Amino acid sequence: MKEKPNGIWLFAGLLLIAVAIAFNGWVIWQQQIALGAVGPVASDMKQRVEERELTALQQLYEHLKREYVNEPDASVLLQGAMEGMVSALGDPRSHYFDADQMRTQGEQSSGSYTGIGSTVESGVDGYVTMIFIYPNSPAERAGLLSGDKLLAIDGVDAQGMPLTEAVTRVKGPRGTIVKLTILRPSEPEPFEVDIVRDVVELISVTAKMLEDEVGLITITTFNDSTGAQFGKELQRLLDQGMKGLILDIRNNGGGTLDGLMDVANMLVPAGTVFTWTFRNQIPQDHISTLATRNFEVVVLVNGYSASASEVLAGALQDTGAGRLVGVRTFGKGSAQHTYRLANGGGVSFTVSHWVTPKGRYIEGQGLEPDVKAIDPYFPLVLEKGRLIKPGQIELLQAKLQALGFDAPFEEGFGEKTVAALQAFQEDSRIYVSGALSDDTLQVLNKRCYEEIPHDNDPQMEIALAEIHKLIAR
């Protein structure tokens, strides 16, 4: 007699199906309401359908609790139902968090947390990839670099691990050790590194004077203390005679609304910073109160400048108050609210979409910079389960160009890009497909690490040239 699969997960799956059915029914009725097809009778019927599905969900839960051959863990079943409900939205921006993951979310907004100090992204190959290493962090002291991939966390295989789970596993009490197995493009074999967790202060703003009355401010994230930090550093640079500011928001994945607006009120001219629309379809403007500004601004952006970063960059570009230098941004034109639940967990889901002052909706497209400047040394990471974006195609083309292959900047993944990729695959002795496979991506990043000089920052050099032009006007 064959052993049956784990019954808890089987019935948890049934529970998720029930939730999905209930949700789909709700969606259909919402569509009918929008079309004006639902009157008082239909509305009453809708309520009865919802009550029936909720009753069925309760019945299923009771059957499992009373009769399943091995007494199931009720919290596992119920968390599975909640995860399934959010998953049924079909929105990659919406997530259910367990208690540990919810704690992590709160830490990121507060300005400090206990961990190693890195920004990560889940790649198409299923591995969590280091995008940014915070200065003076445990990760930096351990020698981690942008582009490093997590193969395992404390011996647990990290390939295919959800990003929220990976982040939760890496974080932990101060003074404890996390063992990471790292795959680095420039190294022939994976290696292990032990990192002592510590309090990571999210000093989201750093600043310095460069040359010829030009200042540099880098914002790594927007949290509740970003505005105060930015204001202090901005005034310090102005006191030193700054006439032009380079604002570096590369790899800044966004953050809190308060942090964003505090900074916008010091950079964006009086007027609309962005407009968002909720379910009621009534637009709401967020307004800057800045009366005057006596310095020029150039903004450095890349493919990981997202969300709040794009709001700020889009406002500066639309109002003519700043020029964008770099590559096309990430393309996140929605906003999420996070709510804590009674079980200690939480949920974050999309509540609105936003547009720039000129009405541009950038979801999936990003912001096109005024001056294109691509650093081919930067790792190309494709997001799991999502189509390759225009900015990622541009980085691919730049990498191929830097390695000596004929890949002109063409719109989309065109014939010339495919031909250049095939030539690269043949040269690298990879299966020639013209597709950006996992093997191709890893070898491409590895060769760029090894063969492209990276003792300078080509994007920063172009930004310096642009800010000097603005100052000289």
Side-chain angles (χ1 to χ4, degrees), residues 369-434:
D370 299 293
V371 181
K372 191 182 300 294
I374 304 178
D375 183 359
Y377 177 74
F378 195 78
L380 173 59
V381 180
L382 303 184
E383 301 154 86
K384 186 177 181 181
R386 297 182 188 172
L387 296 175
I388 185 170
K389 296 180 179 178
Q392 293 169 325
I393 294 175
E394 291 174 350
L395 179 55
L396 167 64
Q397 293 162 343
K399 283 179 171 291
L400 291 170
Q401 290 175 25
L403 293 172
F405 299 93
D406 184 16
F409 290 118
E410 60 181 344
E411 191 70 26
F413 210 104
E415 293 181 2
K416 294 181 179 179
T417 300
V418 171
L421 190 58
Q422 289 174 330
F424 167 81
Q425 290 170 330
E426 184 176 1
D427 186 72
S428 302
R429 299 182 179 180
I430 306 171
Y431 175 70
V432 179
S433 64

Side-chain angles (χ1 to χ4, degrees), residues 49 53 302 409:
V49 169
E53 299 296 345
N302 68 5
F409 290 118

Side-chain angles (χ1 to χ4, degrees), residues 233-299:
E233 297 296 346
L234 178 62
Q235 188 58 54
R236 184 172 66 83
L237 295 178
L238 290 172
D239 290 343
Q240 296 178 56
M242 184 189 76
K243 293 184 179 178
L245 171 66
I246 296 177
L247 177 66
D248 189 351
I249 52 174
R250 292 176 295 182
N251 307 316
N252 183 325
T256 65
L257 175 62
D258 287 345
L260 161 67
M261 287 306 300
D262 287 345
V263 174
N265 278 316
M266 291 178 261
L267 294 178
V268 181
T272 300
V273 176
F274 74 103
T275 302
W276 60 10
T277 304
F278 293 81
R279 176 192 263 182
N280 60 17
Q281 300 299 307
I282 299 175
Q284 296 182 16
D285 293 335
H286 281 262
I287 304 297
S288 169
T289 57
L290 179 64
T292 59
R293 197 191 74 192
N294 59 356
F295 56 91
E296 302 289 348
V297 175
V298 164
V299 186

Side-chain angles (χ1 to χ4, degrees), residues 7 41 131 146 148 188 192 253 272 297 301 345 393 404 411 421-422 465-466:
V41 174
I131 299 301
S146 295
D148 285 349
E192 291 186 344
T272 300
V297 175
V301 295
I393 294 175
E411 191 70 26
L421 190 58
Q422 289 174 330
E466 288 299 313

Side-chain angles (χ1 to χ4, degrees), residues 207-217 237 240-246 460-469 471:
K208 63 180 178 180
M209 285 295 291
L210 298 178
E211 58 183 43
D212 301 328
E213 302 172 319
V214 174
L216 168 66
I217 295 183
L237 295 178
Q240 296 178 56
M242 184 189 76
K243 293 184 179 178
L245 171 66
I246 296 177
M460 183 64 71
E461 291 178 355
I462 294 174
L464 273 168
E466 288 299 313
I467 197 67
H468 284 144
K469 290 178 186 178
I471 293 174

